[in-house]
Amino acid sequence: RLQDLELAPLGDSDVHVKMLAAPVNPADINMIQGTYALLAALPAVGGNEGVGRVLRVGRRVAALAPGDCVVPADAGLGTWRTEAVFAEESLLRVPADVPLLCAATLGVNPCTAYRMLADFEALQPGDSVIQNAANSGVGQAVIQIAKASGIRTINVVRDRPDLPKLVERLMSLGADHVVTEETLRKPEMKAIFQSTPRPRLALNGVGGPSATEMLRHLRPGGTMVTYGGMAKQPVTVPVSAFIFRDVKLRGFWMTQWKKDQTHDKEGLRSMMRSLCELVRKGQLGAPACTQVPLEDYRAALEAAMKPFTSSKQILML
């Protein structure tokens, strides 16, 4: 529900932030449902991502100043609110020239895409990546970051009534190939591999048969990274893929990666600088967004849970 809360007093190491925009991500929904690995102590404010502007700072705050734009450094802050007092260490400054919707959606999906492309296989220009859920926020970021690095992408989506429109959008972002899950099982895939090398990396945000079929196209010794399970079905791998093709299966959770950086946030800051630079160069944009006033949050939550949703709901605060 929407309600007024009393603002916490500003401590010496605290920052008073006016929130500007915050997206509705699948993980936010899962936290509310109680099915996510990270659960807030109740009562709680929803939202793990967003952007705000600093209004005031405590006398011991050194890295932030009034007027700075900030995003959460970690999950669990509760960003679906108009303003709040946060600890300085829980925030990261972002350059003021990063567009509002880019900044609001920078901390989860693009970071996930960046880390998966960088941390599991030593990809070089000309290599390829295959991914399902290619129209998701992560998928759109993968396409753009890979394109900027000279890496080709094979993008898998579910068949849908507006498929040509979706294919056109993903191609405009820099996708090299867009196929449906059904196409993964068909001979048409051979034509793709005449011009594009078999992928060394597969990114799985769906699970179930989609992951199994995608895995079949991975080159020997390649890696499949699972970061989501939208199908709510297990990942099934043929024994032959392990024995004869030596594929590797890994998992990735952005929240855990950020927790691992607690004592040294330079890796996080470096990644954010790289992503902001891509934004400045026009190589990384916000996903397709629908802006919703905070008072209409119920409509945003309902829209975020509908199937075949390619537009991210953004609460404007």
Side-chain angles (χ1 to χ4, degrees):
R1 62 180 180 267
L2 193 63
Q3 69 177 71
D4 290 324
L5 298 176
E6 189 172 335
L7 200 64
L10 185 72
D12 289 348
S13 300
D14 292 339
V15 180
H16 179 193
V17 176
K18 168 68 179 80
M19 294 302 300
L20 302 175
V24 179
N25 289 319
D28 302 325
I29 304 291
N30 294 153
M31 284 183 71
I32 294 168
Q33 294 169 330
T35 60
Y36 200 57
L38 175 70
L39 298 179
L42 300 176
V45 177
N48 290 294
E49 187 182 28
V51 63
R53 182 172 290 113
V54 174
L55 298 179
R56 297 182 297 146
V57 300
R59 62 187 181 91
R60 291 183 184 166
V61 172
L64 297 172
D68 284 348
C69 288
V70 291
V71 298
D74 205 348
L77 274 194
T79 55
W80 297 349
R81 56 174 123 201
T82 56
E83 57 185 295
V85 171
F86 299 122
E88 178 189 14
E89 64 182 16
S90 69
L91 300 169
L92 286 174
R93 189 177 71 84
V94 293
D97 60 353
V98 173
L100 180 70
L101 295 182
C102 284
T105 56
L106 198 62
V108 175
N109 293 161
C111 288
T112 298
Y114 184 98
R115 292 260 62 94
M116 292 195 300
L117 288 169
D119 293 352
F120 295 93
E121 288 283 342
L123 298 173
Q124 302 295 325
D127 285 342
S128 75
V129 172
I130 188 170
Q131 64 164 344
N132 55 24
N135 60 303
S136 67
V138 171
Q140 293 177 56
V142 164
I143 291 170
Q144 294 171 85
I145 296 169
K147 180 74 172 180
S149 303
I151 297 165
R152 300 171 69 82
T153 56
I154 303 165
N155 302 279
V156 185
V157 298
R158 288 182 293 175
D159 198 5
R160 63 193 67 210
D162 62 342
L163 182 62
K165 184 178 178 181
L166 175 60
V167 171
E168 183 181 353
R169 168 159 173 75
L170 297 184
M171 296 295 281
S172 72
L173 293 178
D176 294 285
H177 306 280
V178 181
V179 299
T180 64
E181 291 182 339
E182 290 73 23
T183 304
L184 283 176
R185 308 178 183 95
K186 294 180 178 177
E188 290 97 294
M189 292 300 294
K190 292 181 180 179
I192 289 177
F193 296 124
Q194 288 177 356
S195 60
T196 299
R198 285 191 176 270
R200 297 171 57 184
L201 181 67
L203 305 177
N204 169 41
V206 177
S210 175
T212 305
E213 294 299 331
M214 193 167 61
L215 189 69
R216 296 185 195 280
H217 300 293
L218 203 60
R219 73 163 65 176
T223 302
M224 184 167 78
V225 181
T226 293
Y227 67 93
M230 290 193 299
K232 295 184 171 62
Q233 295 175 329
V235 173
T236 304
V237 182
V239 170
S240 59
F242 284 124
I243 297 174
F244 303 122
R245 293 176 41 236
D246 190 28
V247 298
K248 299 180 286 290
L249 299 188
R250 299 289 303 276
F252 183 76
W253 186 30
M254 193 65 225
T255 299
Q256 185 62 51
W257 187 90
K258 287 183 176 179
K259 284 182 181 178
D260 294 343
Q261 312 298 308
T262 300
H263 300 297
D264 181 10
K265 285 193 165 62
E266 183 50 38
L268 177 57
R269 294 190 190 97
S270 174
M271 174 174 63
M272 293 297 281
R273 285 194 296 268
S274 297
L275 291 171
C276 288
E277 188 59 27
L278 289 175
V279 172
R280 283 199 187 98
K281 291 179 178 177
Q283 295 175 314
L284 177 64
C289 293
T290 300
Q291 301 180 46
V292 183
L294 179 60
E295 55 267 26
D296 295 335
Y297 72 94
R298 289 186 185 277
L301 293 176
E302 289 171 6
M305 291 189 284
K306 287 181 180 177
F308 303 121
T309 299
S310 294
S311 183
K312 188 174 288 293
Q313 303 295 303
I314 307 286
L315 296 173
M316 303 307 293
L317 309 167

